[in-house]
Amino acid sequence: MEPSNLALFWAGVIAVAILVYAVLDGFDLGVGVLFGTTKAEAHRARMMGTIAPFWDGNETWLVVIGAGLFATFPDVYAVFLGAFYIPVLLLLLGLVFRGISFEFRYRSKRMRVVWDWGFFLGSVVVTFVQGAAVGAMVRGIPVSNGQYAGSPFDWLHPFSILTGIGLVLGYALLGAGWLVLKSDGELRDWAYARVRVLAIGVLIVLALAFALTFDFSVLARDDLQTRRWGLVFPAIALLAMIGIAVGVHGRNDRLPFAMTVLFFIAAFLSLGVMFWPYMIPYAITVAQAAAPDESLQFLFYGGVVVLPVIAVYTIGVYWVFRGKVRKGYGRGT
């Protein structure tokens, strides 16, 4: 059964939204992870200043993903929530505490240590459960009669824990690249020192996860073997890592962040090669999960209006607040 053009369109929209979310919210979550690794208040204040105009808008793409799945692929939405009810709950709690901490740390000095921990732990939890969910999907989601057939803790597997740790390191690398791009002086030097270490950590975890994929997921292994052209994406990811090293060595402020973004794009496309045509690996395909074409067409008319507005708003914010953050545009800078 082949998916319709409308189903392919909406699958593409959701895929792009996931990638954009991973990059945009990834760097500010990464800054949150790095936030907890320094006690210097000057660094912490400037870290928050670099993401102040962006972090709230970045989460818009998470709403696009959730609403898009619910409306266009309801079977995927239902199975995904069944399989990842606990991770999704932890993600929402982490986002709540992270947002509250961001707003309150400058309004309550007595409780600042609490809000600082909330911002750091919220960022770590949100990142870890996203990575663990990816690992669980690589292993495969058990589905029976269109419903999730596993236990609430199937996602908490050693392989998923490894991918969760890997994404924490990956987002932290993205965040360090962002700090290099947006800051100067001591914070820039501090971030440069972390980029090299984090890149090595990501490479080690990625290599281990890639090797274990061939043990935990026969279908993923078979897809990579039959679609050998897809191996170009892991190769691009490796070249991106080399680009990060070149950027750090040459003190090119733009290169570490740009190459980390390229790394995430290549990693995402590698997953796409392993998963396609499944939306719930390896049980529900795009064609099986899609809502009726009449519904998809109705949603299409709304999507062609709303999605460009979100994209233009996002691009506009990044254009307005381009360049280094020197005087600061955050609450505490």
Side-chain angles (χ1 to χ4, degrees):
M1 181 179 178
E2 294 295 324
S4 67
N5 290 334
L6 283 169
L8 289 174
F9 169 79
W10 282 111
V13 167
I14 291 171
V16 170
I18 292 172
L19 179 58
V20 172
Y21 170 79
V23 171
L24 298 188
D25 209 31
F27 79 71
D28 70 60
L29 285 168
V31 169
V33 172
L34 292 172
F35 180 90
T37 66
T38 178
K39 294 183 178 180
E41 176 57 29
H43 283 2
R44 288 184 166 186
R46 292 193 66 193
M47 283 180 180
M48 284 194 157
T50 64
I51 64 173
F54 312 107
W55 72 275
D56 215 0
N58 291 341
E59 293 172 2
T60 302
W61 294 97
L62 189 60
V63 177
V64 171
I65 297 165
L69 281 177
F70 178 77
T72 59
F73 297 96
D75 289 349
V76 173
Y77 185 86
V79 172
F80 186 87
L81 282 186
F84 299 111
Y85 183 83
I86 293 175
V88 168
L89 182 61
L90 291 173
L91 182 145
L92 293 175
L93 288 174
L95 290 175
V96 168
F97 278 103
R98 189 170 177 271
I100 291 172
S101 299
F102 195 98
E103 298 293 337
F104 282 13
R105 81 176 303 265
Y106 297 115
R107 290 172 168 76
S108 177
K109 290 186 178 180
R110 290 185 303 172
M111 295 284 288
R112 179 168 291 183
V113 65
V114 175
W115 306 130
D116 285 351
W117 275 104
F119 185 65
F120 167 63
L121 292 178
S123 300
V124 171
V125 168
V126 170
T127 303
F128 175 80
V129 296
Q130 289 179 14
V134 172
M137 293 182 73
V138 170
R139 292 181 61 234
I141 307 298
V143 176
S144 177
N145 297 321
Q147 296 182 353
Y148 176 61
S151 76
F153 294 98
D154 277 1
W155 64 277
L156 201 58
H157 182 275
F159 180 73
S160 302
I161 293 173
L162 176 67
T163 56
I165 294 171
L167 193 62
V168 171
L169 294 174
Y171 277 2
L173 176 61
L174 200 57
W178 177 258
L179 292 176
V180 167
L181 179 68
K182 299 294 286 185
S183 64
D184 54 13
E186 291 183 3
L187 180 59
R188 172 176 170 268
D189 295 337
W190 183 91
Y192 260 124
R194 269 86 190 149
V195 168
R196 193 189 308 272
V197 176
L198 289 168
I200 294 172
V202 169
L203 268 179
I204 292 172
V205 173
L206 182 66
L208 184 58
F210 193 77
L212 290 176
T213 295
F214 289 88
D215 293 329
F216 288 128
S217 180
V218 176
L219 288 171
R221 180 186 65 201
D222 291 345
D223 284 344
L224 282 175
Q225 289 176 343
T226 57
R227 301 167 182 168
R228 292 190 178 275
W229 54 267
L231 293 174
V232 69
F233 299 125
I236 291 173
L238 183 59
L239 290 175
M241 282 294 180
I242 296 173
I244 292 171
V246 171
V248 171
H249 180 75
R251 290 279 165 156
N252 184 323
D253 288 0
R254 295 183 179 182
L255 207 53
F257 182 73
M259 289 295 100
T260 307
V261 171
L262 179 61
F263 170 81
F264 268 84
I265 293 172
F268 182 80
L269 292 175
S270 298
L271 287 174
V273 172
M274 289 189 288
F275 288 169
W276 182 258
Y278 296 98
M279 292 196 75
I280 295 292
Y282 300 89
I284 301 178
T285 65
V286 172
Q288 293 169 340
D293 273 3
E294 292 79 6
S295 298
L296 297 180
Q297 187 170 14
F298 175 78
L299 293 166
F300 174 80
Y301 297 127
V304 295
V305 175
V306 174
L307 294 173
V309 170
I310 297 173
V312 169
Y313 161 79
T314 301
I315 294 169
V317 169
Y318 281 87
W319 176 256
V320 169
F321 293 101
R322 66 191 182 278
K324 295 280 187 180
V325 181
R326 292 187 169 87
K327 293 184 179 180
Y329 32 62
R331 291 173 177 79
T333 56

